[in-house]
Amino acid sequence: MAHRPLVFSGVQPTGNLHLGNYLGAIMRWVALQERYDCIYCVVDLHAITVWQEPQELVKSTREVAAALIAVGIDPRKNIIFNQSQVPQHAELAWVFNCIARMGWLNRMTQFKEKAGKDRENASVGLFAYPTLMAADILVYRATHVPVGEDQKQHLELSRDIAQKFNNDYAESIAGNGHGTEYFPLPEPLIEGSATRVMSLRDGTKKMSKSDPSEYSRINLTDDADTIAQKLRKAKTDPEPLPSAVEGLKGRPEAENLVDIYAALSGSTKEAVLREHGGAQFSAFKPALADLAVSRLSPIAGEMRRLLADPAEIDRVLADGTARAAAMAEQTMDDVRDIVGLLRKR
Ligand code: TYM
C-alpha cells in the first residue's frame, strides 16, 4: 500500500541549538516545507531521559520553538508543537516497547555513549528512548525523516519496529480493513554537506550540546564577535587548504571547516576548494566567520523578537498541538483495534 508522503522530525529542548543542529537538520526542514506536509516537534519527553532543570526545560522548549519559526518554518503551513502535549506519542511508545526486543535496544550506540560506564544507573527512559522516537514518527504514519547522521541507527530501529508490528498483527491489520501494511517504513533523509558537523576543538568528535567546551560549538544565538572568536580558536593543522577534495584526507578539522562553509553557502566542498584552495587558515577562518555571521545573526535577531512575546509562541504550539493530536488519535484508534485494546467510548 502506498502511504501519503509526510515528513516528521524532532529536536530536543536541551539548551542552545548549535550549528550541527542547524546544518544537519533544521535548515533542511525549511526547504522540505515546499514539497511535503511537515510536522516538526520539540521533543521534551526525550529531553527528560536525562536530568533537566524544570525552569530551564520550559525556557528551552520555547526557545527551540522560536528557533524553528526564526529559521523560516511556517507554523501555519506546517505543524510545530511540543511532544508532551500529545499524549498519544507516549501511548504508542508503550505498544512499541512490547514490539521492540531488548537485543535491538542493546545495540544502540547512542545509549552506550550517553549511559557511559555506569549503565545500571541510566534511566529506563534513556534505554527506551528509540521506541518513543519510533512512536513520534509512526503516530503520524510519517514516511520521511530528515535528520543528521547520528540518528541513522535510531531510524533503522523505527523501521524494524514498523515492520515487526505489520508482521505480528498482519491478520488483524487486514481484518480491520488496513490492507497488508499499517505502518510505513520511514525513510531517513540524511543529505547535504553537513550531515555530521564535528567539534571545533576535535575534528574526530561530533559537535554536541553536551561537550563541556563552549569553544567546541557555535550556537545559533552567538553574537558576531563570539562566532569569530570561536572560529579563530578552532583547531586546524599548519597546511594551507588543498585545491581538491582528496587533499582533505586525514585532515578532519580542515574538512569540517570546509563542510561548514559549503553547507552555509549552499555549495559543495569541491566548489569551496576551487575558490579557497591554497589559502591559509588565517585567511579562510575570517571568510568563514563572515559567512556564518551573515547566516546566523538574522536568525538570532528573529528569535529575540519572538521570545519577547512568549504567549504568542504558546499560541503557535497550542495550534500545532490541536492539529497533531487529531491525527495521532486517529492512528491510536486504529492501533487499539489492531492490537485488541478496547476503543475509547
Ligand atoms: P537532537 O536534538 O540531538 O538533534 C536534532 C537534530 O540535529 C541533528 N544533529 C546534527 N547534525 C549534524 N551534525 C551534528 N553535530 C549534529 N548534532 C545533532 C540530529 O541528527 C537531529 O536531526 N533523537 C533526536 C530527536 C528526535 C527525533 C524524533 C528525530 C526525537 N524523536 C523523531 C527524528 C524523528 C535527537 O536527539 O535529536
Side-chain angles (χ1 to χ4, degrees), residues 106 139 145 157 198 202 219 253:
N106 267 326
V139 84
V145 188
L157 189 94
M198 308 310 276
D202 176 350
N219 297 318
E253 285 85 12

Side-chain angles (χ1 to χ4, degrees), residues 81-238:
F81 72 109
N82 62 307
Q83 191 185 28
S84 61
Q85 297 294 304
V86 181
Q88 289 84 353
H89 289 236
E91 204 177 351
L92 184 59
W94 181 261
V95 175
F96 287 171
N97 280 340
C98 303
I99 298 280
R101 307 289 94 180
M102 293 287 285
W104 299 1
L105 291 171
N106 267 326
R107 285 195 284 277
M108 294 294 114
T109 53
Q110 185 172 300
F111 174 72
K112 290 182 201 166
E113 277 162 25
K114 286 203 176 169
K117 289 200 179 71
D118 195 5
R119 273 212 219 174
E120 294 291 307
N121 201 30
S123 73
V124 175
L126 189 66
F127 186 68
Y129 181 113
T131 60
L132 177 58
M133 198 167 146
D136 295 339
I137 300 164
L138 293 170
V139 84
Y140 305 101
R141 300 211 274 170
T143 54
H144 294 82
V145 188
V147 285
E149 184 73 42
D150 61 341
Q151 295 301 316
K152 196 169 171 206
Q153 195 186 33
H154 286 158
L155 282 183
E156 279 158 12
L157 189 94
S158 299
R159 292 168 64 87
D160 290 343
I161 290 174
Q163 178 92 64
K164 188 168 180 336
F165 181 96
N166 289 339
N167 289 344
D168 288 358
Y169 290 108
E171 261 182 51
S172 183
I173 289 170
N176 279 286
H178 298 297
T180 54
E181 176 188 84
Y182 182 71
F183 286 119
L185 307 189
E187 296 258 354
L189 296 178
I190 302 174
E191 293 161 347
S193 348
T195 56
R196 191 172 172 80
V197 177
M198 308 310 276
S199 155
L200 299 179
R201 307 297 301 160
D202 176 350
T204 63
K205 270 179 32 192
K206 129 185 132 165
M207 185 178 284
S208 143
K209 290 175 205 172
S210 52
D211 193 312
S213 168
E214 268 298 318
Y215 280 92
S216 69
R217 63 185 159 261
I218 291 174
N219 297 318
L220 287 193
T221 48
D222 283 347
D223 61 27
D225 286 347
T226 310
I227 293 175
Q229 198 189 18
K230 285 179 175 176
L231 284 171
R232 216 169 27 246
K233 293 206 172 181
K235 186 176 167 200
T236 42
D237 55 42

